[in-house]
Structures are given as structure tokens and as C-alpha cells.
Amino acid sequence: MQQDPQVIRQAIGQALQESLSLQGGKNADYIPFLAQVPSHLSAVAVVTAEGAVYQAGDSSYPFAIESISKVSTLALALEEAGPAAIKEKIGADPTGLPFNSVIALELHSGKPLSPLVNAGAMSAVSLLKANDAEQRWQRILHLQQQMAGSALALSEEVNQSEQSTNFHNRGIAWLLYSAGYMYCDPMEACEVYTRQCSVLINTTQLATFAATLAARGMNPLTRQQVLRKDNVPCILAEMTMEGMYGASGDWAYSVGLPAKSGVGGGVIAVVPGVMGIAAFSPPLDNEGNSVRAQAMVASVASQLGYSLYR
Ligand code: GLU
């Protein structure tokens, strides 16, 4: 479907303007690096399934991908194990609890329920076939780059900041292991998961990542089919159920698009067959979702009239 470029330009410009007056939220501070990213940064971008790119604000500022990386690792795990095994070995349900909740595990006999919370994401990392941590990591980075359509790199600074403070995730990795939901060495899975979160990406690259899902697994800029087409609906379903953590239900109700956020301040949303939308701004609300990025994505979707449920 072709959209009028002028209408998209106007929509992202207005979304950015509206967001600048939003003052709420606070940078994530449990990862020391994230606490010092300038809070005023704001960006929004759209990449269409045909490959047209629109951007506004600080769209070339690189920030930590964090949990949005869970989407591409889920895609890899799906390619390897298939949808039925992912549902059984990780899950396809919302947790209704915070992204790093131990209670969520306790309530379900140690099953993570979703590959888009920390527990399920570490399980997904552990499911990938690899001889060692380096190979596991390279597979993950490769797909992130294919979806973003650009070379991406690990930030040593973010990685160091996260690896030296990720005790809670290490605890979760051992709980998964004891419950039978960890499929490689738990500390290897946690270490590689932490690296995958520490990759730097900018808002335009993130919109391309989302557009790859919108274009049924084909990156619309490189024209490469980088995901198995048949798995894309499963990825979008997982995003709908858990992509915005505890706010996923509210988001489905009010915006109606599969989405994923990260504590680095990024948010992506997918309009299947049409476009990927991405936004970035560091301050987060109590659920761990960027205040301004959510508002920008919601504004673009509403101005352009996109919701799955319309
Ligand atoms: N690296 C972060 C963590 O594991 C990612 C969390 C997020 O973005 O939601 O806590």
C-alpha cells in the first residue's frame, strides 16, 4: 500500500512536536550507563514496506537497543525450533508482571511464558544452536544487522555497565535452569543476552528493523528476505501480548499495533504489510516504557489511521 509522503512527513513532525512538551518519566538507572544518556533526546522514524524512509528529531543518535533485541532473538529461535516448540519451551502468553519478575516464574512452575520478558529472552538465547558463547553472540548480532539494514556494534561501555550489574538476571537464569527452561549453560545465556541488549542502534535503523516485520521478513531497504515469512505472525502475536510489558493490554486497547519497547528508551510498532514505526526518548514510565516514544508512535499511528482492530 502506498501512502502520501507528505502525510507521513506531517504526521512524524507533529508527533515529535507534541512529545517535546511531555515532561514525565525518568531514565532507567538500574543500569548505570542508561542513567547518563541525555533525557531531552527525542526522535521518530517511519520506514515503509516499500522502503521509503522518514525521520524527525535526533534520529541518528545511537542508543542501547535493550529489550527490542528480544524480537530478533525470538525470530532466530523460531527459525531453529519452530512455533510449536517455542510455545512449549518458552511460552506464548502475557505475564501481566514486570519484565524481570521472579514472581511471574514462581506462578507458572518456572516457565517464562513469553520470549519478550527477560526470563524468556534468556531461554530463547539458550535454545540457539552454537558451539560457544561467541558463536551464539555472532548469530544474534548478524540478524540484528540484517533487520536494521546496517552494521551495528556492541557498545563496550553499555556492555560493561550491564555485565557488572546484572545479578538479578543471573538469578533468573539459574531459576530457569532448575525448572528445566534453560537449554545451555545458564551463565552463558545470561552473558550473551546481556551483550545483545548492549548493541547501539539509532531510530531510523530501528524503524527499518520494524519495517522488516511489516514486510513479512524482507528488509525493505536491502530487499533481502532475512526472516522466515511464516514465523512473522508468531512474532507479532508475542509482541501484542507482552511487547509493552505490563502495559501491553492498554497499548493494544488504545493503539492496536504489535510493539516492543526497551529500557534504553526505544519503542517500535509494526503495521503489517505497511510500515515500521520507531521512536526514542530515554525517560521511562513505571512499566519501563519510554514516555515520549510511546506517545510519538501512538500519535503517528492515530494520525495515519492504523490499528489492527479498526
Ligand atoms: N538489559 C535489560 C535487562 O535485562 C533490558 C530490559 C529491557 O529493556 O526491558 O534488564
Side-chain angles (χ1 to χ4, degrees), residues 162-178:
E162 297 212 22
Q163 301 283 4
S164 58
T165 52
N166 66 356
F167 311 113
H168 189 88
N169 284 342
R170 285 188 228 175
I172 290 174
W174 281 115
L175 289 175
L176 290 167
Y177 182 72
S178 78

Side-chain angles (χ1 to χ4, degrees), residues 13-67:
Q14 184 173 322
L16 180 71
Q17 275 316 311
E18 290 165 0
S19 81
L20 297 178
S21 59
L22 288 176
Q23 295 304 333
K26 186 166 157 293
N27 285 33
D29 56 9
Y30 75 102
I31 298 169
F33 177 90
L34 299 180
Q36 8 127 9
V37 178
S39 302
H40 65 83
L41 292 166
S42 251
V44 56
V46 160
V47 174
T48 70
E50 286 83 29
V53 178
Y54 303 86
Q55 52 212 354
D58 305 299
S59 55
S60 54
Y61 186 93
F63 58 92
I65 188 169
E66 296 298 343
S67 262

Side-chain angles (χ1 to χ4, degrees), residues 30-31 66-67 70 99 118 162 169 193 197 245 261-264:
Y30 75 102
I31 298 169
E66 296 298 343
S67 262
K70 291 168 177 156
F99 61 88
N118 289 8
E162 297 212 22
N169 284 342
Y193 161 75
C197 293
Y245 298 126
S261 68
V263 295

Side-chain angles (χ1 to χ4, degrees), residues 100-133:
N100 56 2
S101 174
V102 171
I103 292 174
L105 287 176
E106 289 297 310
L107 288 174
H108 303 97
S109 314
K111 185 169 181 175
L113 291 199
S114 167
L116 299 184
V117 294
N118 289 8
M122 288 190 276
S123 252
V125 168
S126 77
L127 267 177
L128 305 181
K129 286 190 201 83
N131 294 328
D132 55 25

